[in-house]
Structure formats: structure tokens, C-alpha cells
Amino acid sequence: MSEKTIKIQLPDGSVREVALGTTPYDIAMSISPRLAAAVVVARVRPLTPMAAAGTVAEGEEETSEAAMYAGPQAGSAAGERLVDLAAPLTEDIALELLKETDEAALKVVRHSAAHVMATAILELFPETKLGHGPATDQGFFYDVYRETPFSEADLAAIEQKMAEVVARDEKFVREEEPREKGLTDYSAQGEFMKVHFIEKFTKPGDEISLYRNGGFVDFCRGPHVPSTGRVKAFKVTSVAGAYWLGDEKNQQLQRVYGTAFYNAKDMEAHFKRLEEIKARDHRVLGKQLDLFSIQEVAGAGLIFWHPKGGLIRKTMEDWMRDECIRRGYEMVFTPHIMRRELWKISGHEGFYSQNMYPPMELDDAEYRLKPMNCPGHILIYKNSPKSYRDLPQRYAELGNVYRYERSGTMHGLLRVRGFTQDDAHIFCTPEQIEGEIAACVEFADEVLKAFGFAEFKVELSTWDPNDKKSYVGDERHWETAVSSLKKVLDAKGIPYREIPGEAAFYGPKIDIKLVDVLGRLWQLSTVQFDFNLPQRFELEYTGEDGEKHRPVMVHRALFGSVERFFGVLIEHYAGAFPMWLAPVQVGLVPISEKHLEYARSVKAKLEAQGLRVELDERNEKMNAKIREFTLKKVPFVLVMGDKEAATEAVSVRTRGKGDEGSVAMTEFIARAVGLVESRGVLL
RNA sequence: GCCGAUGUAGCUCAGCUGGUAGAGCAACUGAUUCGUAAUCAGUAGGUCAGCGGUUCAAAUCCGCUCAUCGGCUCCA
């Protein structure tokens, strides 16, 4: 047996023949000891497909929970996976040694950091029971159960203890043992969560894998870094509640968050980035730039738009209305409260009431605040008989809706209780449906581009056939609807991800998530198919054949919620809005009081061109005025003194660029007006 | 809704183990009249989130409520 060899193919294409059982570490060492010291983990891909199948099948789970539990695993169709450096190689493989610069391997470091943290927690608080501790995009966490919650001081103590565990440089050793032994041992220790995971992710007769470092052992699929000393930069960041198995009916665990990096410098950069994100937080900027507020006396999740925010909103809404009209929509308005009877007919009473405010008694009946605009639009459609010649009917409304959100869920403008949907409902014949949906998707694309977003991701949400009671309509309806949505996306060549169980109760939908400058994803636009409401309201049109037919209906919102879109916009631009959206486009700074008169004349001229101008008439030094306009992120600041007054000129200071010197008024006006009209992002 | 933290002047924050509030900026008044990110001086401004309790005495300790923040869950 010891004669037996295997082939190892390295990334440069070279192939080495080594003894069976050679480890990636051995190979790294044979290349160079320095490489061996820098390598974190190995990526292997079996060279023969047969072997690949065998390797991947081992312990490979497809559920996301399993993936999360088991930690980082690059499971791909090619059978690629990450293994410990100490893992004996048993077949012909392509081997890649991942060094401390590799992004994928960072997850391994973080997963190992989670083990280090668990080690520290158990040493300090032995009564703690362990859940799971995966790596995340930002770092890692470990879910644990303990009667008393961890305090700030506890977190600091945990971090300190982790430093000790790292200093001990304990080897991560993979061990395997019979599943039954694992179950018995963990049961004896009262580790109910570990018992659950073993039962869920392994089958009777399986060997389970454990990772040991020093006195700490954890059921885990791995892989890990060679030793705890390889977790070089880490921090325990916070603790929060998390439900066991994500179900709020279960007990609450403590999720201890941390992060880890290859080195202190990377970690510093990470926290610096977090600070930058915080600096562009729409809640912070909303206050700084005086855009909006949320008032405790008025209630949570309710937005007050201040004049400057209001102006941006007006600009957004005007643009949207004009675009709708240009595309054959008609603007309508519907009431905010409507009789309960209507919500019974629409099905909201049954399927949506947990999100609706309770009914209010009026003299004649009970009324409810609207959570959606659709029933109102339907009543308009239904108000007069329709012929196929009238279709499609496209009703659009910037409709204020109110939805009950649980108290802990609100978040600035992004999650509120009262918001405005740029909502539209399209009533059309079955033949028209695909064209209408395609037009909606195109429109959505245009909206995102107009506001400066270049990238987006598409999701197709369908129903969960195993949970039919959460949806209306029969199987046949759902299938046709889903297939027509798919057809549109495929025809446009738009890549999408299908998510079963995410549909609205009345039909499947296409959700468009935009990607902002920081690469974050935001759910905004949605195009939804509805075959429920036309039926419930018995909508009809007269066909070419003189018979009555049922129209189909499309719901669509492109901003989604004006509030949320605005919030995302603030963060996207970090408050530095492009010219066409900026609430104040030009700030005027007279150098001294004697230039006030000229400044006023400049203001009048600019305003005559439709520009939004603010003149600082205070008795302040010009530097102070410039500073304030700069902090308010005003695109242009015009400074004027004797020189400018004498020549009908202005000295231009551009946001992000600085002093650009004097130009003639006419020249500046052309530039400013041009920028507004082109809706350019750059100044 | 759940777990944890927080709530002091318009804003950002200080106020140790209980002895009845303080700074900077902003505002207002006055002086200054200035060439590209903060001129100087003075004045005014606070139910210490709200309600209740302990105490001779509460911003400070306790309870409840509201709101905010970080998560969980849920969602546009």
C-alpha cells in the first residue's frame, strides 16, 4: 500500500506524483517552507469525474442551513472543495494552496475564529451550551445558550480569553467517530443543539467529524486553519438575540458576533469602511441635511418630510408622473380609508389582516386604512363597462398606504409604517400580459438608470406548492403566471434567481434589487401577477366576440416605496445629490456686505432660470459661509467680490473639486442648467 | 413581538459611588467688512423621553410605558 502514489496537479499545470496520504501541507513544504507558513487552507478538485462524485457526496448537504452549520465549503459542480492542510490526500486531484491573501480562505479563518471564540466562552462560562458558529460576509458569529445574557464586560473578557487561546497556538485536529458516540456524549453534556444538528445533518451509521483544539471539541465539517495561532486579527463586536432554528416560537439564543482578518491592517480597513458606511447612513444624513424626521410624539415608522427632503421628493415624483403619462398610464387618486366590506371582497381581511390597522367605527360601518392601492384601482375599473378596445387600462397612483409593522422592525426610511407606493395596476387581456410585463421591466430598468444605479439583480418569487393555504388561485393559474413571467425574463436575456415560497398571496412576482455604490442590495421595484383580484371583484370586459371575459391584472411599483427609494438614494449619493435632485443647487457667498446687492441680482438671474439658489446674507466671513454650503453638500458655491461685480461674473467652487476661478454669469448659467436638464450625476 | 443597549439644550456630547445641570457648535445681539472649509465678544436656551416608586434629597436607584440603536423574526 505504501507503494501507492497519487497525482497532484498544481495551478501552473505541473503534475507531481506523491505517496498516497500526502497532505497539502507536505506539498507546500516541498515547494517552500515560506509558502507553507503562509498557506491557510487547500482547494482540491478530483481529476477523475468518478472520484469527484464519490468525494462530493460525502457529507455534502444542499440546504443553506447545513451549509451554514458546516461552515465554509466551496461545493461546486466541479466537485471543488476546501480541505485542511493536514488532510491526507487519497486520490488524483488538482490542488490549489490558498494563501493569506485569498478571499475564499478568509472565511475559513473566520470559521476557525468562531471556534476560538467558543473555546474562550466555554472556558469563561462553562455552563454555556453551543449552537452553531459559521463565518459570514462580515465576520462570524456563534449562537450559544446561557441563562444570563452576556454584558459588554463579558464580551471584552471573551475577546481577551480568545487572545490567550490564539497565543497557545493549539492545533486544529480533525477526528472522526461513530455518530452514535457523538450523540451519546453530547446528550450527556446537555448539548441539545449539537444533538439536534447531528441528527439533522448525519444519518445513522455515519462517521461524524469533530475538530479539536486543546481541550475544546466541536462537531464540525471543517475545514480549519492549521492552528489557533493563525487567527491573527480578530474582534468580538456585539451580541444579539437570535431564535433557535430561526423560529420565534423557540427559545432565544445569544448570538455573539465577531470578525477576523489575516492581519491588523485589514481589520482596521474593515472598521474604517464601517465608519464610512455609518457616515452615509440616511438617518444620519437626513438629520444633518435637514431632509426628514421621525417624531416620537407622532409615532414610530411615520415620516415627516422637511422642506429640503420634500423638494427632492417632489422632483422624484414629478419625474415619475411624467414618465408614467408618457408610457400610457393614467394618474388616479383613491381614498385612504375604505369600508371593511371592500377588504373582505379583496381578500386582504383574510390574507393580510395581520399587517393592517384594526378597523375604526364610523356611523355607518367599519372602515380600514388601506395597506395597498389595488382595490381602489379596481373600483375605478369596475365603475364602467370595459371593452377589449379599452385595454390595457393602466392606472397609476402615488398612493399612501399604512401597514402595521412590529415594533422592533422599523428602520429609518427603509422600514416604516406609513409610506407612498408609486403603484400602478394594469388591466389587460391574457394576450397582452407578456407585453405589459416586459414594458414594466423596461420601465423599472429606466427608473434605476435615471437615478444613477447601474446594476441590479432580479428575483422571481413563486409560490410554495406545499403551502397552498397561504395562496389563492389554483395550480393551473400559478403555472401560467409563472411561465409568462419567465418567458419575459428569458426573452430579455435577464438572469434571475427563482425563489419558491416568496410570492404574494395573490400571485408570483418579479423583484428587482438594485446594487448601490457600496455593492449593497436593496429591494425596491416589483412587478406582480394577479389572478386573484379580477376574480374576486368579478372584473370583466367585452371581447371581440361579444362575450364577457375576465381581464388579467399586473401590479407594479418601481420606486417601490418613495420613502425607501429616497433612503437608498441618500446612502447611494452619501447626501451629495446630483444637480437635478439637489434641494439647493447653488449657494451664493458675497465676500462682504458691500457685495450683497450684486449677490441679490445674481440670485434673481439664476432663479429666473429655474435654479434653486440660497444666498447667505449673514454677517459672517466668507470662509464660514463656504464651509457651511460645503457641509450641506451644495453642488456649486459662487463667491463674489469687487472683481465679479465689476464684470458680471461669479467665482465658481464646485463640490468635490474646489475653486475653479471666475467665469461669466452666462457661462455658469449654461453649465448649471445643462446639468439639471441632462440629470447628470457628475458636476 | 423577542434579546441586549441607549434616551441630558436645535445638534454632538460631559455629568464619579444620589446633594436639585455643563461644554462646543447652532440661534440671537453687538463689533468686525474680510478673496475660497469655522472672526471676536456678549445674550438667551433644559418638564434631564414620559409616568409612577424608593429617599430628607433622583438626570443618577427601582418599576412600567414610549422611542431609538444592534440583531432575530417579518417585509416595499
PDB file of all heavy atoms in Angstrom, chain A residues 183-195:
ATOM      1  N   LEU A 183     -23.632  11.414  19.592  1.00  0.00           N
ATOM      2  CA  LEU A 183     -24.959  11.695  20.145  1.00  0.00           C
ATOM      3  C   LEU A 183     -24.979  11.421  21.655  1.00  0.00           C
ATOM      4  O   LEU A 183     -25.507  12.217  22.431  1.00  0.00           O
ATOM      5  CB  LEU A 183     -26.020  10.839  19.441  1.00  0.00           C
ATOM      6  CG  LEU A 183     -26.390  11.288  18.029  1.00  0.00           C
ATOM      7  CD1 LEU A 183     -27.331  10.291  17.374  1.00  0.00           C
ATOM      8  CD2 LEU A 183     -27.036  12.679  18.064  1.00  0.00           C
ATOM      9  N   THR A 184     -24.390  10.292  22.057  1.00  0.00           N
ATOM     10  CA  THR A 184     -24.388   9.935  23.478  1.00  0.00           C
ATOM     11  C   THR A 184     -23.622  10.968  24.295  1.00  0.00           C
ATOM     12  O   THR A 184     -24.099  11.454  25.321  1.00  0.00           O
ATOM     13  CB  THR A 184     -23.717   8.559  23.670  1.00  0.00           C
ATOM     14  OG1 THR A 184     -24.192   7.684  22.650  1.00  0.00           O
ATOM     15  CG2 THR A 184     -24.050   7.980  25.031  1.00  0.00           C
ATOM     16  N   ASP A 185     -22.424  11.307  23.788  1.00  0.00           N
ATOM     17  CA  ASP A 185     -21.601  12.264  24.527  1.00  0.00           C
ATOM     18  C   ASP A 185     -22.286  13.611  24.665  1.00  0.00           C
ATOM     19  O   ASP A 185     -22.347  14.190  25.744  1.00  0.00           O
ATOM     20  CB  ASP A 185     -20.247  12.453  23.814  1.00  0.00           C
ATOM     21  CG  ASP A 185     -19.381  11.208  23.936  1.00  0.00           C
ATOM     22  OD1 ASP A 185     -19.773  10.294  24.687  1.00  0.00           O
ATOM     23  OD2 ASP A 185     -18.326  11.162  23.274  1.00  0.00           O
ATOM     24  N   TYR A 186     -22.802  14.118  23.525  1.00  0.00           N
ATOM     25  CA  TYR A 186     -23.431  15.432  23.574  1.00  0.00           C
ATOM     26  C   TYR A 186     -24.688  15.427  24.439  1.00  0.00           C
ATOM     27  O   TYR A 186     -24.956  16.391  25.156  1.00  0.00           O
ATOM     28  CB  TYR A 186     -23.749  15.918  22.157  1.00  0.00           C
ATOM     29  CG  TYR A 186     -22.593  16.653  21.502  1.00  0.00           C
ATOM     30  CD1 TYR A 186     -22.226  16.379  20.184  1.00  0.00           C
ATOM     31  CD2 TYR A 186     -21.891  17.631  22.196  1.00  0.00           C
ATOM     32  CE1 TYR A 186     -21.175  17.068  19.577  1.00  0.00           C
ATOM     33  CE2 TYR A 186     -20.836  18.323  21.593  1.00  0.00           C
ATOM     34  CZ  TYR A 186     -20.481  18.036  20.284  1.00  0.00           C
ATOM     35  OH  TYR A 186     -19.462  18.723  19.692  1.00  0.00           O
ATOM     36  N   SER A 187     -25.445  14.332  24.382  1.00  0.00           N
ATOM     37  CA  SER A 187     -26.649  14.239  25.220  1.00  0.00           C
ATOM     38  C   SER A 187     -26.257  14.306  26.682  1.00  0.00           C
ATOM     39  O   SER A 187     -26.884  15.013  27.486  1.00  0.00           O
ATOM     40  CB  SER A 187     -27.405  12.935  24.973  1.00  0.00           C
ATOM     41  OG  SER A 187     -27.784  12.850  23.632  1.00  0.00           O
ATOM     42  N   ALA A 188     -25.198  13.577  27.028  1.00  0.00           N
ATOM     43  CA  ALA A 188     -24.745  13.542  28.410  1.00  0.00           C
ATOM     44  C   ALA A 188     -24.346  14.936  28.881  1.00  0.00           C
ATOM     45  O   ALA A 188     -24.530  15.292  30.044  1.00  0.00           O
ATOM     46  CB  ALA A 188     -23.576  12.580  28.557  1.00  0.00           C
ATOM     47  N   GLN A 189     -23.813  15.738  27.954  1.00  0.00           N
ATOM     48  CA  GLN A 189     -23.386  17.084  28.322  1.00  0.00           C
ATOM     49  C   GLN A 189     -24.520  18.096  28.268  1.00  0.00           C
ATOM     50  O   GLN A 189     -24.326  19.280  28.540  1.00  0.00           O
ATOM     51  CB  GLN A 189     -22.282  17.556  27.360  1.00  0.00           C
ATOM     52  CG  GLN A 189     -20.976  16.804  27.493  1.00  0.00           C
ATOM     53  CD  GLN A 189     -20.090  17.002  26.271  1.00  0.00           C
ATOM     54  OE1 GLN A 189     -20.187  18.010  25.576  1.00  0.00           O
ATOM     55  NE2 GLN A 189     -19.243  16.030  25.999  1.00  0.00           N
ATOM     56  N   GLY A 190     -25.699  17.633  27.863  1.00  0.00           N
ATOM     57  CA  GLY A 190     -26.832  18.561  27.754  1.00  0.00           C
ATOM     58  C   GLY A 190     -26.699  19.503  26.572  1.00  0.00           C
ATOM     59  O   GLY A 190     -27.329  20.554  26.519  1.00  0.00           O
ATOM     60  N   GLU A 191     -25.857  19.132  25.613  1.00  0.00           N
ATOM     61  CA  GLU A 191     -25.681  19.981  24.424  1.00  0.00           C
ATOM     62  C   GLU A 191     -26.817  19.688  23.446  1.00  0.00           C
ATOM     63  O   GLU A 191     -26.617  19.064  22.406  1.00  0.00           O
ATOM     64  CB  GLU A 191     -24.316  19.721  23.785  1.00  0.00           C
ATOM     65  CG  GLU A 191     -23.148  20.231  24.606  1.00  0.00           C
ATOM     66  CD  GLU A 191     -22.943  21.749  24.441  1.00  0.00           C
ATOM     67  OE1 GLU A 191     -23.750  22.407  23.751  1.00  0.00           O
ATOM     68  OE2 GLU A 191     -21.972  22.262  25.013  1.00  0.00           O
ATOM     69  N   PHE A 192     -28.012  20.204  23.791  1.00  0.00           N
ATOM     70  CA  PHE A 192     -29.197  19.850  22.994  1.00  0.00           C
ATOM     71  C   PHE A 192     -29.112  20.325  21.549  1.00  0.00           C
ATOM     72  O   PHE A 192     -29.647  19.719  20.640  1.00  0.00           O
ATOM     73  CB  PHE A 192     -30.455  20.407  23.667  1.00  0.00           C
ATOM     74  CG  PHE A 192     -30.500  21.913  23.741  1.00  0.00           C
ATOM     75  CD1 PHE A 192     -31.256  22.637  22.828  1.00  0.00           C
ATOM     76  CD2 PHE A 192     -29.797  22.599  24.724  1.00  0.00           C
ATOM     77  CE1 PHE A 192     -31.295  24.027  22.892  1.00  0.00           C
ATOM     78  CE2 PHE A 192     -29.837  23.979  24.790  1.00  0.00           C
ATOM     79  CZ  PHE A 192     -30.577  24.693  23.882  1.00  0.00           C
ATOM     80  N   MET A 193     -28.418  21.421  21.319  1.00  0.00           N
ATOM     81  CA  MET A 193     -28.357  21.931  19.956  1.00  0.00           C
ATOM     82  C   MET A 193     -27.424  21.083  19.095  1.00  0.00           C
ATOM     83  O   MET A 193     -27.725  20.801  17.934  1.00  0.00           O
ATOM     84  CB  MET A 193     -27.921  23.388  19.964  1.00  0.00           C
ATOM     85  CG  MET A 193     -28.963  24.282  20.638  1.00  0.00           C
ATOM     86  SD  MET A 193     -28.544  26.037  20.633  1.00  0.00           S
ATOM     87  CE  MET A 193     -27.371  26.124  21.982  1.00  0.00           C
ATOM     88  N   LYS A 194     -26.312  20.674  19.676  1.00  0.00           N
ATOM     89  CA  LYS A 194     -25.402  19.811  18.927  1.00  0.00           C
ATOM     90  C   LYS A 194     -26.086  18.497  18.576  1.00  0.00           C
ATOM     91  O   LYS A 194     -25.918  17.969  17.472  1.00  0.00           O
ATOM     92  CB  LYS A 194     -24.142  19.545  19.763  1.00  0.00           C
ATOM     93  CG  LYS A 194     -23.253  20.758  19.934  1.00  0.00           C
ATOM     94  CD  LYS A 194     -22.682  21.215  18.600  1.00  0.00           C
ATOM     95  CE  LYS A 194     -21.817  22.452  18.754  1.00  0.00           C
ATOM     96  NZ  LYS A 194     -21.512  23.088  17.449  1.00  0.00           N
ATOM     97  N   VAL A 195     -26.831  17.954  19.538  1.00  0.00           N
ATOM     98  CA  VAL A 195     -27.563  16.719  19.289  1.00  0.00           C
ATOM     99  C   VAL A 195     -28.500  16.903  18.095  1.00  0.00           C
ATOM    100  O   VAL A 195     -28.544  16.093  17.177  1.00  0.00           O
ATOM    101  CB  VAL A 195     -28.362  16.297  20.546  1.00  0.00           C
ATOM    102  CG1 VAL A 195     -29.319  15.166  20.207  1.00  0.00           C
ATOM    103  CG2 VAL A 195     -27.414  15.900  21.669  1.00  0.00           C
TER     104      VAL A 195
END
